[in-house]
């Protein structure tokens, strides 16, 4: 037995499809005129049953067909299979459909064939599951084509008996296993051929008629050609009997040869720990498009491990330890700039599935958050309690990427960094041991996790003490920036003079010809009284003529409810430089204005820190540059140009927040000497082999 | 006052993306709108295939009419369009109309393997397509389809199925040549307000071309329904055309109906609240205003 057996009906009407679903059949197939339209309709009136349409290629251009199939697959949560008759051009059509559906490939698809020309189609949408393509045709050529390329072959019982061997041979020739091709048998109760099981055989002899097809010829799917409710009922009963009499467990899923062919060197795919095999993703898997890249970077990892528990994280790390020469990245929300959470040909460990959130102690406002949650989710979770945890400005950022580094957020001046709310973590260390770290347990580690966590292990849960936060004022102002240096100085002064209830940021871009220079000012005021909000914002609004303003009263969760849905499809490799600074002095502002005017950076942003952030002593956490009032980031695309333009700013800085920095050689800027010395010592203790190295790796020079 | 005497229709113009498209069709159906429509850009990967979405949405709704707004002819075949529309019309109890366009974004069409035509050629091709579609639908005439034109040759193709109701063909039309084709051969035009360079007053010109062509073809101008895709903002205070409270929208649209004979307003929005407001407050008020004026 090659497959889990499936029983379906080849119907003409929607009513029969609904009946087939009601009776518990596995799938329903349609063929003939308007098959796709009828199947789409059937999809809308059923909820669960598998859907197969036999497509007439004379009526459907393959590239459009691919989109149609992906659409229906997405609409139905992955219920769709395509069947194609073998005609001239079918081989090309299969190739086109497959490639257009391969949405993870960044380049458009080009096919200039004998039968079809697709000069450069966009790929996608990505379907909900891998859409199988079944082929019909009993002559040798068709059977070979199916053996080489299809996920299924369709024929009558006689045809199956006659062609099974050929199918296996054709598959073997291209390195496919027989089990990659499902044999689909059409049973026609009204068939003329005496040798085929007719209605009588089928329903009286039942199992005896089907068993040889399964056992001797590998049939995996039976499709009964009927719209008759009574026949559908009896076929469903037969299904029950057969499944009962063939109690073999379904065979383990196999990786198709086409996927195995894309495997990268150096990775021992066959020994992925059993606990992770089902969720792991490799190139060629459908989910690969969803996991290969991050928000900022295009990537092509060789294997993405997706543990669902702390135990599975330990299993994953054992696998990683066995691959010392292979790049390794750790991923949560995939917004890393410093963190290389994707790579080329390496292993990625994604904690995204560890996304639970719970309240541990309501009186203490103590919550436990999984590393894979996103900050938008956390904010939504806390909102009903009247709580919030200042994180960053973007809701798509992952919990563990930010909460192991710092967390400069909308309430930073009032409530401090995200890490300042951390009370304990659970983590898996490089050797696979699972430890808790807090002020009482492993305090060294707890110190290190708050600012340099990516160097010490995989955090699998965070205990945070969160704040009571009601509605807040959120302002977005666009102001004239005719004299950017002057604006920076005055904005800096206004921020430093503002009460701690105000935190915010300033964004500027390169000058655009013919347009006035402007700056975007954003601020959150933690107050529920509109007049207090307006008063607090007044000094900012008076800095320069306003082009635009928008102030709303919103729950904190409303501000970070800005995460894009869907998967990351970042391309390229960003260049980002950052620094922390105490005051925006005129000398600094002049250098910054020149940087902006240079055109070398397309994004210049200053976030406010200081306030409560500076209440914590520098030695208390690995994030040590506590005296800064501002965190600066500049992004561009050419490393050389950005560095040249950014150099004059550096003398003004007092360290740097590593999360906004893509240059990993700036370890000494991220950590002042005493901090760095202690971190290196701890690194030698906890991760001597340097397993965790994707984000400001602490080398072992002392 | 221009009035072609049609009953008024109110519809939704929904982005064919993700499952939201199908959900919005259900919202529009429940809200009581008459029509839900989807644009069709098969070369854009992030959109759903419009025909698939429309078929699926038809199955999940009970009352509302559905149409593409408008179907991209260059990447589809006329006979297939005719048959699939007829098939779905029969499945849905006569709720499907055919919105058809000559094509635009030729780079996208070509990238997918379609043929690039000039604007003029594409209109001729559309004319041929309409003829083929009507022949396929016409099962009362004996013999196969006869059509060997410059762009399509489907002579000998079998006829049928016939739609369940007299299906309308609406064209996305703006320029004189296209409008003349509509006047001659179509049952409606469905331009978008945002593409009318002079705003709503351009509709007078549209009507003139359509009416002249219809009369030249010995058809009553009323054979061609005037539809309009609109967009706007519901806000508490009236600011401008279709930017204000529902009552103001009603005044604005009644004016368009009475001045230009537009009898179908299709609101471009993916916001369920907008569609509900449009159905609950704007549509009945426009109907009342127009009925009062017609009386
Ligand atoms: C659009 C945008 C806006 C941002 N805004 C802010 C902001 O306002 N304030 C702010 O402070 N930061 C901000 N950042 C920076 C952001 O906090 C960091 O890039 C952060 O690392 C992203 O976390 P992630 O989980 O999404 O990223 P990922 O790419 O998934 O992870 C980044 C790195 O974190 C480490 N890591 C991930 N999971 C774990 C784990 N379980 N245990 C240990 N280490 C782990 C790894 O080294 C990994 O490479 C922003 C980034 C972006 C892209």
């Amino acid at each position: 037995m090659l497959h889990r057996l499936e029983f379906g009906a080849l119907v003409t009407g929607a009513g029969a499809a609904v009946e087939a679903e009601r009776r518990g059949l596995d799938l329903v197939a349609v063929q003939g005129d308007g098959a796709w339209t009828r199947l789409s309709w059937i999809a809308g009136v059923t909820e669960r049953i598998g859907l197969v349409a036999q497509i007439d290629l004379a009526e459907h251009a393959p590239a459009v067909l691919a989109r149609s199939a992906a659409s229906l697959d997405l609409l139905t949560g992955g219920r769709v299979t395509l069947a194609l008759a073998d005609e001239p051009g079918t081989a090309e059509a299969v190739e086109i459909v497959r490639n257009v559906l391969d949405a993870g490939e960044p380049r458009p698809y080009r096919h200039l064939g004998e039968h079809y020309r697709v000069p450069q189609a966009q790929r996608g949408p990505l379907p909900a599951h891998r859409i199988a393509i079944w082929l019909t045709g009993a002559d040798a050529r068709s059977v070979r084509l199916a053996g080489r390329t299809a996920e299924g072959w369709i024929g009558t019982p006689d045809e199956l008996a006659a062609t099974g061997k050929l199918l296996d041979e054709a598959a073997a020739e291209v390195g496919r296993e027989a089990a990659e091709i499902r044999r689909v048998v059409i049973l026609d109760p009204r068939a003329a051929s005496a040798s085929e099981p007719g209605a009588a055989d089928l329903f009286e002899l039942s199992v005896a008629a089907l068993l040889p097809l399964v056992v001797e010829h590998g049939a995996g799917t039976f499709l009964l050609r009927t719209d008759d409710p009574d026949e559908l009922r009896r076929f469903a009963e037969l299904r029950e009997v057969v499944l009962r009499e063939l109690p073999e467990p379904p065979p383990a899923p196999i990786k198709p040869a086409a996927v195995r062919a894309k495997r990268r060197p150096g990775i021992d795919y066959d020994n992925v720990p059993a606990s992770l095999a089902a969720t792991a993703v490799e190139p060629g898997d459908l989910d690969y498009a969803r996991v290969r890249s991050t928000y900022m970077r295009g990537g092509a990892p060789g294997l993405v491990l997706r543990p669902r528990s702390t135990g599975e994280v330990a299993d994953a790390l054992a696998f990683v330890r066995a691959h010392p020469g292979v790049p390794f990245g750790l991923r949560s929300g995939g917004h890393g700039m410093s963190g290389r959470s994707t790579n080329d040909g390496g292993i990625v460990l994604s904690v995204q599935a560890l996304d639970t959130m719970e309240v541990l102690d309501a009186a203490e406002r103590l919550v436990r958050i999984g590393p894979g949650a996103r900050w938008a989710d956390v904010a939504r979770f806390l909102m009903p309690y009247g709580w919030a945890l200042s994180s960053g400005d973007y809701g798509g950022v992952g919990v563990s990427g930010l909460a192991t580094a710092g967390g400069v957020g909308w309430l930073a001046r009032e409530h401090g960094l995200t890490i300042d709310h951390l009370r304990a973590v659970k983590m898996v260390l490089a050797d696979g041991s699972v430890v808790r770290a807090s002020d009482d347990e492993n305090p060294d580690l707890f110190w290190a996790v708050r600012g340099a966590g990516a160097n010490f292990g995989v955090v699998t849960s965070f205990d945070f003490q969160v704040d009571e936060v009601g509605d807040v004022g959120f302002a977005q102002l666009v102001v004239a920036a005719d004299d950017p240096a002057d604006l920076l100085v005055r904005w800096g002064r206004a921020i430093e003079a503002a009460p701690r209830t105000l935190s915010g940021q300033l964004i500027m871009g390169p000058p655009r010809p013919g347009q006035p220079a402007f700056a975007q000012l954003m601020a959150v005021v933690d107050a529920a009284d509109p007049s207090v909000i307006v008063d607090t914002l007044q000094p900012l609004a008076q800095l320069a003529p306003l082009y635009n303003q928008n102030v709303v009263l919103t729950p904190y969760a409303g501000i970070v409810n800005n995460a894009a849905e869907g998967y990351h499809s970042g391309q390229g490799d960003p260049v980002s430089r950052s620094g922390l600074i105490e005051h925006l002095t005129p000398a600094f502002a002049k250098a910054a204005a020149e940087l902006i005017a240079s055109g070398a950076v397309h994004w210049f942003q200053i976030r406010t820190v200081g306030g409560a952030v500076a209440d914590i002593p520098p030695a208390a956490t690995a994030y040590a540059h506590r005296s800064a009032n501002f965190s600066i980031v500049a992004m561009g695309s050419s490393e050389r140009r950005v560095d040249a333009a950014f150099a004059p700013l550096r003398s003004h800085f007092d360290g740097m927040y590593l999360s906004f920095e893509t240059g990993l050689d700036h370890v000494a800027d991220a950590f002042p000497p005493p901090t760095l010395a202690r971190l290196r010592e701890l690194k030698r203790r906890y991760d001597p082999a340097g397993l965790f190295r994707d984000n400001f790796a602490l080398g072992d020079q002392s | 006052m221009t009035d072609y005497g049609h009953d008024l229709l109110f519809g939704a113009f929904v982005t064919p993306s993700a499952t939201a498209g199908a959900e919005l069709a259900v919202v529009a159906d429940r809200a009581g709108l008459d029509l839900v429509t989807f644009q069709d850009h098969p070369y854009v990967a992030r959109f759903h295939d419009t025909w698939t979405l429309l078929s699926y949405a038809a199955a999940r709704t009970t009352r509302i009419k559905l149409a593409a707004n408008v179907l991209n002819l260059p990447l589809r075949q006329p006979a297939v369009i005719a048959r699939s529309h007829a098939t779905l019309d029969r499945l849905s109890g006569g709720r499907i109309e055919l919105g058809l366009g000559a094509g635009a974004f030729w780079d996208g069409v070509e990238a997918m393997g379609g043929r690039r035509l000039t604007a003029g050629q594409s209109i001729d091709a559309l004319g041929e397509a309409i003829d083929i579609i009507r022949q396929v639908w016409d099962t009362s005439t004996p013999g196969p389809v006869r059509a060997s034109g410059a762009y399509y040759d489907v002579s000998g193709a079998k006829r049928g199925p016939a739609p369940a109701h007299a299906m309308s063909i609406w064209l996305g039309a703006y320029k004189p040549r296209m409008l003349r084709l509509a006047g001659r051969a179509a049952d409606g035009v469905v331009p978008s307000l945002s593409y009318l360079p002079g705003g709503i007053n351009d509709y007078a010109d549209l009507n003139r071309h359509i009416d002249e062509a219809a009369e030249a073809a010995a058809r009553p101008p009323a054979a061609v329904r005037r539809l309009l895709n609109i967009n706007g903002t519901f806000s508490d205070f009236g600011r401008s055309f279709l930017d204000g409270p529902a009552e103001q929208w009603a005044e604005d649209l009644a004016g368009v109906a009475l001045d230009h004979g537009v009898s179908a307003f299709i609101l471009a929005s993916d916001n369920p609240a907008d569609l509900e407001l449009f159905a609950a407050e704007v549509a009945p008020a426009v109907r009342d205003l127009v009925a009062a004026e017609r009386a």
Side-chain angles (χ1 to χ4, degrees):
Chain A
M1 215 170 103
L2 296 170
H3 301 102
R4 196 180 64 81
L5 289 185
E6 289 180 346
F7 291 76
L10 179 54
V11 302
T12 56
V18 172
E19 183 63 14
E21 176 168 273
R22 195 174 74 84
R23 290 293 175 190
L25 291 180
D26 302 298
L27 68 163
V28 57
V30 296
Q31 56 180 198
D33 281 346
W36 187 254
T37 301
R38 285 184 289 128
L39 191 76
S40 302
W41 172 277
I42 288 170
V45 294
T46 54
E47 301 298 333
R48 173 197 60 76
I49 199 162
L51 304 162
V52 187
Q54 180 161 336
I55 297 297
D56 181 352
L57 284 172
E59 300 200 338
H60 294 265
V64 181
L65 175 63
R67 296 223 208 291
S68 308
S71 298
L72 197 60
D73 201 55
L74 286 164
L75 285 165
T76 59
R79 293 197 272 145
V80 173
T81 295
L82 289 179
L84 303 175
D86 182 31
E87 300 160 24
T90 298
E92 280 184 38
V94 169
E95 209 178 303
I96 293 168
V97 170
R98 288 254 164 75
N99 278 284
V100 171
L101 291 179
D102 190 4
E105 267 309 311
R107 286 177 307 278
Y109 175 61
R110 180 178 182 80
H111 173 96
L112 303 179
E114 190 185 334
H115 300 90
Y116 297 106
R117 288 174 47 84
V118 181
Q120 50 169 351
Q122 291 182 9
R123 296 170 192 256
L126 187 67
H129 87 308
R130 181 181 293 282
I131 296 178
I133 299 180
W134 295 349
L135 297 181
T136 68
D139 60 293
R141 213 187 60 93
S142 305
V143 173
R144 285 188 162 283
L145 179 64
R148 284 198 315 273
T149 65
E151 282 87 22
W153 172 86
I154 314 176
T156 65
D158 281 354
E159 287 169 351
L160 175 68
T163 58
K165 285 259 164 352
L166 194 55
L167 204 55
D168 292 351
E169 282 167 20
E173 277 167 25
V174 294
R176 304 179 79 200
E177 289 178 37
E180 290 186 40
I181 305 137
R182 180 176 277 276
R183 279 99 170 131
V184 182
V185 182
I186 296 184
L187 302 171
D188 192 340
R190 280 154 285 276
S193 162
S195 66
E196 296 192 358
D201 278 344
L202 203 59
F203 298 116
E204 308 328 325
L205 304 177
S206 60
V207 185
L210 298 188
L211 221 49
L213 293 172
V214 176
V215 175
E216 285 164 37
H217 302 297
T221 299
F222 294 102
L223 286 178
L224 182 69
R225 184 191 291 276
T226 189
D227 274 28
D228 180 73
D230 197 48
E231 289 180 2
L232 289 170
R233 176 183 57 77
R234 286 191 289 157
F235 197 52
E237 286 165 11
L238 176 60
R239 172 182 183 274
E240 295 296 318
V241 176
V242 173
L243 291 182
R244 219 176 312 141
E245 304 219 345
L246 286 174
E248 286 166 65
I254 52 154
K255 286 286 180 195
V259 174
R260 291 196 306 272
K262 294 188 172 171
R263 290 183 162 179
R264 305 290 296 261
I267 298 178
D268 185 6
Y269 289 93
D270 294 332
N271 286 309
V272 169
S275 63
L276 297 164
T279 52
V281 185
E282 56 182 271
D285 283 337
L286 181 92
D287 269 347
Y288 191 65
R290 296 189 171 92
V291 300
R292 64 182 296 173
S293 297
T294 61
Y295 185 81
M296 290 269 172
R297 290 187 178 88
L303 181 67
V304 179
L305 299 174
R306 300 192 288 181
R308 292 157 297 187
S309 65
T310 300
E312 289 186 10
V313 170
D315 293 346
L317 286 181
F319 187 78
V320 174
R321 279 198 304 277
H323 291 77
V326 174
F328 169 50
L330 186 52
R331 186 187 305 166
S332 163
H335 285 74
M337 292 157 66
S338 59
R340 289 343 193 231
S341 55
T342 189
N343 54 42
D344 184 12
I347 300 170
V348 169
L349 191 169
S350 166
V351 295
Q352 210 168 21
L354 298 168
D355 61 354
T356 53
M357 299 184 271
E358 59 177 312
V359 175
L360 294 180
D361 182 337
E364 291 289 313
R365 297 188 306 276
L366 205 58
V367 297
R368 179 164 293 171
I369 308 288
R374 302 175 311 166
W375 288 107
D377 309 326
V378 176
R380 247 193 309 274
F381 170 68
L382 298 178
M383 185 170 83
Y385 301 92
W387 301 340
L389 173 53
S390 180
S391 55
D393 56 35
Y394 192 61
V397 167
V399 163
S400 57
L402 180 136
T404 48
V408 176
W410 287 121
L411 306 170
R413 295 180 73 241
E414 183 180 19
H415 290 300
L417 301 173
T418 310
I419 55 169
D420 299 339
H421 295 77
L422 200 51
R423 297 296 171 260
V425 293
K426 180 155 98 175
M427 61 197 292
V428 186
L429 302 180
D431 65 2
S433 56
V434 179
V435 299
R436 274 179 64 82
S438 66
D439 280 335
D440 309 320
E441 277 173 279
N442 299 303
D444 275 349
L445 208 47
F446 188 53
W447 171 84
V449 160
R450 289 172 293 163
N455 263 288
F456 291 92
V458 182
V459 178
T460 58
S461 85
F462 294 85
D463 295 353
F464 293 110
Q465 192 164 31
V466 301
D467 297 303
E468 257 170 350
V469 179
D471 282 359
V472 299
F474 180 50
Q476 293 168 282
L477 314 178
V478 179
V479 302
D482 306 322
D483 182 347
D486 178 58
L487 179 69
L488 286 175
V489 170
R490 289 187 302 116
W491 179 77
R493 281 193 199 126
I495 292 290
E496 289 192 45
R500 286 184 173 195
T501 50
L502 183 147
S503 296
Q505 54 179 258
L506 171 152
I507 299 171
M508 290 181 77
R512 280 181 287 185
Q515 286 190 30
F518 63 88
Q520 241 180 301
L521 308 181
M522 289 188 262
V524 165
V525 180
D526 182 9
D529 178 348
S531 66
V532 174
I533 294 170
V534 170
D535 285 351
T536 312
L537 289 170
Q538 213 43 256
L540 296 184
Q542 286 168 353
L543 287 173
L546 280 174
Y547 287 137
N548 207 341
Q549 58 166 320
N550 179 29
V551 184
V552 292
L553 192 63
T554 168
Y556 173 82
I559 308 176
V560 289
N561 186 24
N562 53 2
E565 291 307 324
Y567 54 89
H568 295 310
S569 47
Q571 297 293 327
D573 203 10
V575 179
S576 181
R577 293 290 175 264
S578 80
L580 289 163
I581 187 170
E582 213 151 318
H583 310 291
L584 303 185
T585 59
F588 166 79
K590 181 165 168 293
E594 282 165 11
L595 168 73
I596 295 164
S598 75
V601 300
H602 58 251
W603 182 262
F604 178 85
Q605 185 176 26
I606 308 184
R607 291 178 177 80
T608 62
V609 269
V613 177
D615 293 345
I616 309 272
T621 62
Y623 179 105
H625 299 290
R626 294 276 178 179
S627 64
N629 283 308
F630 303 96
S631 161
I632 283 144
V633 53
M635 296 206 272
S637 33
S638 153
E639 182 129 51
R640 197 183 45 78
R641 286 188 68 207
V642 174
D643 272 334
F646 197 73
L649 277 64
R650 290 196 180 279
S651 61
H652 303 277
F653 291 147
D654 180 17
M656 164 261 276
Y657 173 35
L658 61 83
S659 280
F660 293 129
E661 175 70 46
T662 56
L664 297 186
D665 45 345
H666 293 286
V667 175
D669 293 328
F671 308 107
T675 305
L676 188 56
R678 186 173 172 196
L679 282 171
R680 288 208 161 117
E681 188 205 316
L682 292 172
K683 182 79 174 176
R684 279 193 294 275
R685 176 145 35 114
Y686 287 106
D687 183 19
L691 192 68
F692 300 107
R693 56 187 183 276
D694 76 337
N695 192 359
F696 276 83
L698 297 161
D700 54 8
Q701 64 263 56
S702 356
Chain B
M1 175 162 161
T2 310
D3 192 348
Y4 300 98
H6 296 123
D7 55 328
L8 295 183
L9 299 178
F10 294 85
F13 188 20
V14 169
T15 310
S17 55
T19 42
E23 281 159 21
L24 286 166
V26 173
V27 168
D29 190 37
R30 292 212 183 112
L33 288 175
D34 306 299
L35 181 65
V36 60
T37 67
F38 304 94
Q39 52 188 312
D40 180 34
H41 299 288
Y43 31 80
V44 180
R46 68 174 189 284
F47 287 165
H48 272 275
D49 173 49
T50 296
W51 185 248
T52 303
L53 175 58
L54 201 131
S55 306
Y56 178 87
R60 302 201 75 91
T61 51
T62 56
R63 199 193 40 75
I64 200 164
K65 282 179 171 283
L66 303 100
N69 190 346
V70 288
L71 213 59
N72 183 284
L73 177 61
L75 285 170
R76 303 177 183 272
Q77 302 171 36
V80 177
I81 291 174
R83 292 200 188 101
S84 51
H85 274 70
T87 300
L88 191 59
D89 201 46
R90 298 169 86 99
L91 285 167
S92 66
R95 292 193 282 127
I96 309 303
E97 308 293 350
L98 172 51
L100 201 51
F105 306 103
W106 292 99
D107 288 346
V109 169
E110 228 182 4
M112 290 282 281
R115 78 184 143 188
R116 181 185 286 270
L117 300 178
T118 66
Q121 289 170 332
S122 73
I123 295 169
D124 293 342
L126 179 59
E128 287 183 18
I130 292 173
D131 176 47
I132 293 168
I133 290 166
R134 294 215 195 269
Q135 286 194 53
V136 171
W137 286 347
D138 175 11
T139 49
S140 60
T141 303
V145 173
R146 281 172 218 288
S148 49
Y151 302 94
Y152 302 105
D153 184 352
V154 292
S155 281
K158 69 176 173 23
R159 292 172 187 267
H165 83 298
M167 190 180 294
S168 299
I169 299 179
W170 298 332
L171 303 185
Y174 300 88
K175 301 252 173 69
R177 222 168 133 182
M178 190 73 176
L179 295 163
R180 288 199 296 272
L181 173 62
R184 204 163 63 233
D187 310 304
V189 292
V190 54
S192 291
L193 179 55
S194 55
Y195 288 175
L196 297 178
I200 190 59
N201 289 329
D202 284 0
Y203 222 112
D205 278 343
L206 268 56
N207 281 335
R208 190 168 47 79
H209 290 293
I210 297 165
D211 294 353
E212 284 171 12
E215 273 156 12
R219 305 175 76 206
V224 186
R225 185 190 270 278
R226 318 300 151 107
L227 303 93
L228 182 65
N229 296 318
I230 55 171
N231 49 320
T233 310
F234 287 107
S235 46
D236 291 345
F237 304 101
R239 293 184 202 183
S240 56
F241 187 68
L242 298 184
D243 183 350
E247 311 89 77
Q248 185 210 311
W249 277 59
E251 295 283 346
D252 290 346
L253 295 181
V256 174
L258 295 166
D259 291 350
H260 300 294
V262 172
S263 59
F265 297 101
I266 307 176
L267 175 62
S269 172
D270 291 341
N271 179 349
D274 282 356
L275 299 182
E276 279 161 4
L277 197 60
F278 190 56
E281 296 190 18
V282 179
V286 179
R287 286 200 168 98
D288 287 350
L289 290 167
V290 172
E293 208 58 36
R294 279 177 174 174

